[in-house]
Amino acid sequence: MIRRYSFAKLLPGLLPVAGTLILAGCQNDSVPGLQSGADYFPLEVGRYRIYAVADTLWANYQRTPSSYQFRETITDQINDATGQPGYRIVRARRVLPTDAWRDDSVMFVAATDHALLLTRNNRRTVELVFPVRKDRVWNMNAFNSLDTVAAENRYYQNVGETFQSQFGGKTYSYNQTLTTALTEDNRNGQNNAVYRSTYDQVYAQGVGPVYRARRRYIYCADQDVGTSICGRSNTRIYRGQARVEVLIEQGKL
């Protein structure tokens, strides 16, 4: 079954945070083979991806939308602070397609035999685990302090499926994709009548990330919890952020 996501109908948001990266080491310097699933995030110097971004911030029930573009470019292959090899990714931002790109932040990606690790804003996360297998779970925050070491908060929701996204009247289709999402237990633990948090990423084989959506909503102020005005409703978000990114261009410099 083809899963379709209309960019225009999705809630935008989650303002980006620019940061300077402190590189962290990975545990294994070998590069996994394509059969493991590493080709869902190709690492090659000069490769770039451009995303259309829909962004919304809520404050005191007021909604402020914005839109812009991100470009992520693999600029060079380098060693991190521990001497382990990886790739530097520079993210740039512009509001209009006619604007000049302005560097926004830097990331570092390393692929081991078992996982793909991303360091951004001084925090390292486990983005993918190898080999790829539907319903496989892992701890995205195994290398940072956000969760306990034993937590299982991320899983492969779909593997090997066709995916379509839309932007500006154009449809972008991919034959082989996988989707990572919060585990059901993690969703249940974080989502209730007052709070909602979701984070989904779609990767296309031979391309990389093609769709990303992160939403964090608080539906009412602390003093209103338990009253009739406090309840889950996308039209009544007290405070929150949401951001949706759709890949619209890729290539090699």
Side-chain angles (χ1 to χ4, degrees):
M1 180 179 65
I2 297 176
R3 295 168 291 121
R4 295 179 173 86
Y5 292 81
S6 175
F7 188 77
K9 295 180 180 179
L10 291 167
L11 288 173
L14 190 60
L15 298 178
V17 179
T20 300
L21 184 68
I22 296 177
L23 302 182
C26 56
Q27 292 179 315
N28 192 315
D29 61 0
S30 59
V31 177
L34 295 182
Q35 69 277 7
S36 71
D39 52 340
Y40 281 101
F41 202 120
L43 293 171
E44 180 184 12
V45 174
R47 180 183 288 267
Y48 73 90
R49 292 181 287 267
I50 296 177
Y51 299 88
V53 184
D55 227 338
T56 295
L57 175 68
W58 285 265
N60 196 25
Y61 298 111
Q62 298 299 309
R63 176 177 177 269
T64 305
S66 62
S67 61
Y68 47 90
Q69 292 183 347
F70 278 147
R71 183 185 66 188
E72 297 177 358
T73 305
I74 302 177
T75 59
D76 51 345
Q77 185 174 5
I78 60 175
N79 292 337
D80 68 10
T82 67
Q84 301 297 331
Y87 293 83
R88 186 196 306 272
I89 299 178
V90 176
R91 188 175 72 178
R93 173 176 168 164
R94 67 184 180 188
V95 176
L96 299 174
T98 54
D99 292 342
W101 290 106
R102 300 178 66 89
D103 288 351
D104 174 89
S105 57
V106 177
M107 297 170 277
F108 181 80
V109 174
T112 75
D113 281 336
H114 306 292
L116 185 132
L117 308 176
L118 171 68
T119 304
R120 176 171 49 198
N121 296 329
N122 304 334
R123 178 179 296 157
R124 184 166 56 168
T125 54
V126 182
E127 298 296 304
L128 300 173
V129 292
F130 307 129
V132 168
R133 185 175 64 250
K134 185 178 180 181
D135 296 328
R136 185 175 184 181
V137 297
W138 69 92
N139 182 8
M140 184 178 183
N141 298 304
F143 296 98
N144 63 60
S145 60
L146 292 183
D147 286 298
T148 63
V149 174
E152 292 183 337
N153 46 40
R154 203 82 184 147
Y155 81 112
Y156 288 125
Q157 187 178 65
N158 300 292
V159 174
E161 294 191 11
T162 299
F163 179 84
Q164 290 183 350
S165 57
Q166 296 177 354
F167 173 74
K170 185 175 181 180
T171 298
Y172 302 87
S173 300
Y174 307 94
N175 291 329
Q176 291 286 328
T177 70
L178 62 81
T179 302
T180 65
L182 294 176
T183 60
E184 292 303 316
D185 288 343
N186 203 49
R187 287 180 183 271
N188 293 339
Q190 296 190 48
N191 297 333
N192 50 50
V194 178
Y195 181 76
R196 181 188 181 198
S197 178
T198 65
Y199 179 34
D200 301 311
Q201 294 196 85
V202 179
Y203 300 80
Q205 197 170 48
V207 179
V210 298
Y211 172 88
R212 295 185 286 224
R214 187 191 296 266
R215 302 174 179 87
R216 294 173 180 169
Y217 303 148
I218 297 175
Y219 291 97
C220 60
D222 292 343
Q223 64 269 22
D224 296 328
V225 174
T227 68
S228 59
I229 68 171
C230 185
R232 179 182 290 190
S233 169
N234 286 337
T235 61
R236 289 289 295 172
I237 298 171
Y238 171 67
R239 185 171 69 250
Q241 297 174 321
R243 185 172 70 197
V244 175
E245 304 173 37
V246 173
L247 181 71
I248 58 173
E249 182 183 331
Q250 60 164 322
K252 187 174 180 181
L253 299 176

